[in-house]
Amino acid sequence: MSGVFSSFPYGAIYYAILDFDSCFLFWLKTTKNTTIQHISQKNILSVKMVYNDIPFDGIKLRENDKRRVAYFYDADVGNYAYGAGHAMKPHRIRMTHSLIMNYGLYKKMEIYRAKPATKQEMCQFHTDEYIDFLSRVTLDNVHQFAKETVKFNINDDCPVFDGLYEYCAISGGGSMEGAARLNRGKCDVAINYAGGLHHAKKSEASGFCYLNDIVLGIIELLRFHPRVLYIDIDVHHGDGVEEAFYTTDRVMTCSFHKYGEFFPGTGELRDVGVGKGKNYSVNVPLRDGIDDASYKNVFEPVIGKIMEWYQPSAVVLQCGGDSLSGDRLGCFNLSMQGHANCVNYVKSFGIPLMIVGGGGYTMRNVARTWCYETGILNNVLLDENLPYNDYFEYYGPDYKLDVRQSNMFNANSPKYLDNILINIFENLEHTKYAPSVQLNIVPNDKENLGDVEEDTAEALDTKGGSQYARDNIVETYNEY
Ligand code: YEV
Ligand code: CA
Ligand code: ZN
């Protein structure tokens, strides 16, 4: 550290020190009469950090902050099973739904069963041969696909199971139809807990994910939105979504995840995108045991800065529940409130918002948290006592809504988190001028809502708010 610029002649002396390695300015406060030659660790009284270690004090809702929420649920989804003993259990989506209904949230939002995604829709991101394989392979004929199972990464993590293709179609349909409703201004928030399968690749299954419903949903959003922000709070790196948009500035991806000897092994701080996409991928690599306060103190500054510089016109938030304390696969220490704070914070920007599920392997806690978050999206804080529901016995012995933190060690020191923030802010400075794109005619959409005049640019201008006034409407099947 070197490069002294100034000092003030009052009591304590403050030195502005420029660290040439990180290009960051520190204020050093020293005792009176200390000359610059005498600065050493022991007479530095304080070093200003970007990371601010504020305690977490729960969630507060704004009064009258109502949103039109469209919730997508297919009653078949809970019947699919990856196989005995597999960690991923689609049944947790049915448990979430039962809690949501029994808390009475159906009175607040519109509930839809989406049309399953078609092959053609799936192939907007995935290759034809991969989707063709998914549609043909069954438990009975899998032995005939020896070459393909290797090529498409079918293994213990991603096995063939009964109804695999239909399960993918349900997951993808919810995210695509959710995006289409947001595009048309028919809702402010779309929810698809059967989605969020962020590890799936263009031509490969990975990490319990086969079809990347998120990429399909974002492609749909890109038809109307110049800039889409993707945020991923699953404990794992959102690698499939990052990879899909790594070379474009039309989508900014931001994943918070455990990094270091952990699946999928990607998502370093220095992975920031390439070409036009440079600095439009953000990675927040975290260590074990991060708690509510540390997470909030990183999440809010990072997302706040992205909102300020990037100015997305739509946001997709992946709400993977494996970042919760006590998850079967995860290693973070978030309470339900700490997790839901991310939802509440993102919601507070008032930008069209898509909520998708994702990981989460302690089913009762995933269901509790997604239900609580559905409450927040409808601007209600749900009662701590669980209502009677189809799976009441899963929630014993306390039958409470809450998921609490544990006393596990937080391996993320303030200094470690400070370094992350400094690096990310530095990169985001380069994205200061939000990219815009040329207006094009929007062709036939995913969802025909039977309302022709709303397709005109004028109608969207008046309905869409200030973002539409600033930006043109876009169509970009091939551009992302
Ligand atoms: C993940 N896969 C996983 C739990 C109770 O960890 C992996 C594998 C080894 C892996 C990997 C690990 C790295 O650190 C780096 C790169 C890596 N690439 C791969 C393939 C996938 C998590 C997705 C969210 N699998 C399991 N963690 C797991 C899988 C099971 C499958 C069948 C039955 C039970 C299972 N139980 C599991 O954990
Ligand atoms: Ca993540
Ligand atoms: Zn995960």
Side-chain angles (χ1 to χ4, degrees):
M1 207 183 276
S2 57
V4 179
F5 286 100
S6 66
S7 69
F8 307 111
Y10 315 110
I13 303 168
Y14 293 84
Y15 293 99
I17 307 247
L18 186 65
D19 177 356
F20 288 119
D21 292 328
S22 68
C23 288
F24 194 74
L25 191 65
F26 293 88
W27 286 103
L28 300 190
K29 184 184 177 191
T30 73
T31 50
K32 200 174 177 182
N33 301 329
T34 307
T35 67
I36 198 67
Q37 285 92 339
H38 295 121
I39 286 185
S40 69
Q41 204 65 36
K42 76 173 189 309
N43 52 31
I44 294 172
L45 301 180
S46 65
V47 175
K48 175 113 177 65
M49 299 217 298
V50 173
Y51 176 79
N52 200 354
D53 208 2
I54 308 165
F56 180 69
D57 64 349
I59 290 181
K60 287 167 203 78
L61 297 181
R62 286 196 209 145
E63 261 178 63
N64 301 321
D65 195 14
K66 290 205 174 51
R67 305 288 154 87
R68 291 166 303 156
V69 180
Y71 167 83
F72 290 86
Y73 177 72
D74 189 312
D76 290 343
V77 77
N79 293 326
Y80 297 98
Y82 281 57
H86 198 285
M88 174 59 110
K89 299 189 188 306
H91 174 57
R92 73 215 164 104
I93 299 158
R94 182 162 54 194
M95 290 171 63
T96 306
H97 182 72
S98 182
L99 276 185
I100 286 172
M101 299 308 273
N102 285 288
Y103 263 114
L105 288 171
Y106 60 86
K107 296 175 206 152
K108 304 255 173 196
M109 56 187 184
E110 293 184 340
I111 300 182
Y112 298 98
R113 179 179 208 154
K115 201 161 58 62
T118 64
K119 231 180 202 183
Q120 196 193 1
E121 286 166 347
M122 295 177 184
C123 292
Q124 283 174 27
F125 172 56
H126 297 283
T127 60
D128 290 17
E129 58 163 356
Y130 174 54
I131 296 300
D132 200 49
F133 165 76
L134 288 181
S135 72
R136 284 171 200 268
V137 72
T138 64
L139 279 172
D140 294 332
N141 68 14
V142 62
H143 61 277
Q144 296 165 16
F145 288 100
K147 222 175 77 197
E148 285 84 353
T149 53
V150 175
K151 186 172 173 189
F152 300 129
N153 202 29
I154 299 301
N155 51 36
D156 285 354
D157 274 353
C158 303
V160 171
F161 59 84
D162 253 351
L164 168 59
Y165 182 76
E166 289 71 28
Y167 165 75
C168 291
I170 289 170
S171 164
S175 296
M176 292 196 73
E177 229 171 277
R181 287 202 85 78
L182 287 168
N183 278 347
R184 294 282 178 235
K186 292 277 175 186
C187 62
D188 306 309
V189 178
I191 302 175
N192 177 30
Y193 291 127
L197 304 177
H198 59 170
H199 297 303
K201 307 285 158 55
K202 183 185 172 91
S203 199
E204 196 179 293
S206 174
F208 315 160
C209 308
Y210 307 81
L211 184 82
N212 202 315
D213 63 286
I214 308 169
V215 172
L216 296 175
I218 293 175
I219 291 171
E220 184 70 27
L221 289 170
L222 286 173
R223 300 173 63 212
F224 281 71
H225 291 278
R227 292 176 300 283
V228 175
L229 170 62
Y230 172 68
I231 306 169
D232 185 315
I233 62 169
D234 190 289
V235 73
H236 298 98
H237 179 224
D239 57 347
V241 184
E242 178 182 278
E243 186 178 296
F245 302 112
Y246 208 57
T247 61
T248 180
D249 56 12
R250 294 282 310 281
V251 178
M252 180 173 276
T253 62
C254 178
S255 175
F256 299 78
H257 48 268
K258 152 83 178 173
Y259 182 78
E261 290 172 40
F262 199 63
F263 181 86
T266 49
E268 281 185 63
L269 192 54
R270 65 170 181 220
D271 296 339
V272 297
V274 299
K276 267 191 120 180
K278 185 158 183 223
N279 297 313
Y280 292 90
S281 290
V282 177
N283 281 298
V284 187
L286 300 166
R287 307 298 190 210
D288 286 6
I290 193 161
D291 58 21
D292 293 347
S294 304
Y295 204 92
K296 176 182 163 121
N297 295 332
V298 173
F299 186 84
E300 293 192 357
V302 168
I303 298 304
K305 220 13 141 217
I306 290 177
M307 292 295 188
E308 189 185 328
W309 285 156
Y310 189 61
Q311 297 187 17
S313 55
V315 180
V316 177
L317 175 58
Q318 195 266 21
C319 292
D322 46 12
S323 43
L324 288 165
S325 187
D327 186 79
R328 187 177 156 195
L329 299 195
C331 50
F332 285 175
N333 192 19
L334 295 184
S335 74
M336 180 179 76
Q337 300 247 338
H339 194 274
N341 181 64
C342 302
V343 175
N344 196 37
Y345 184 69
V346 172
K347 175 197 170 215
S348 75
F349 290 90
I351 300 169
L353 175 61
M354 167 98 114
I355 297 285
V356 291
Y361 306 99
T362 301
M363 290 197 293
R364 60 187 182 280
N365 291 345
V366 177
R368 284 170 159 128
T369 303
W370 288 352
C371 177
Y372 182 64
E373 290 171 347
T374 307
I376 286 175
L377 294 163
N378 285 290
N379 220 40
V380 286
L381 287 178
L382 298 175
D383 191 275
E384 61 168 349
N385 297 304
L386 291 173
Y388 188 74
N389 65 86
D390 295 345
Y391 308 100
F392 196 65
E393 69 277 12
Y394 286 57
Y395 303 99
D398 60 318
Y399 306 98
K400 298 277 191 216
L401 180 59
D402 206 14
V403 178
R404 287 190 296 274
Q405 291 191 114
S406 76
N407 61 358
M408 84 184 282
F409 178 69
N410 181 358
N412 301 269
S413 66
K415 197 166 183 300
Y416 176 78
L417 298 173
D418 190 53
N419 179 58
I420 288 179
L421 289 186
I422 290 165
N423 270 275
I424 290 175
F425 289 178
E426 161 84 29
N427 296 339
L428 284 176
E429 286 275 340
H430 300 297
T431 71
K432 213 163 177 171
Y433 303 100
S436 64
V437 279
Q438 183 63 48
L439 179 145
N440 278 312
I441 302 301
V442 180
N444 55 325
D445 48 302
K446 157 78 188 160
E447 192 187 18
N448 182 0
L449 296 160
D451 198 357
V452 179
E453 68 275 22
E454 73 173 1
D455 285 356
T456 62
E458 297 90 287
L460 279 155
D461 249 1
T462 56
K463 292 194 329 181
S466 61
Q467 191 66 55
Y468 281 115
R470 281 201 300 277
D471 298 312
N472 291 323
I473 300 155
V474 291
E475 187 327 66
T476 53
Y477 272 125
N478 305 314
E479 209 191 314
Y480 74 90

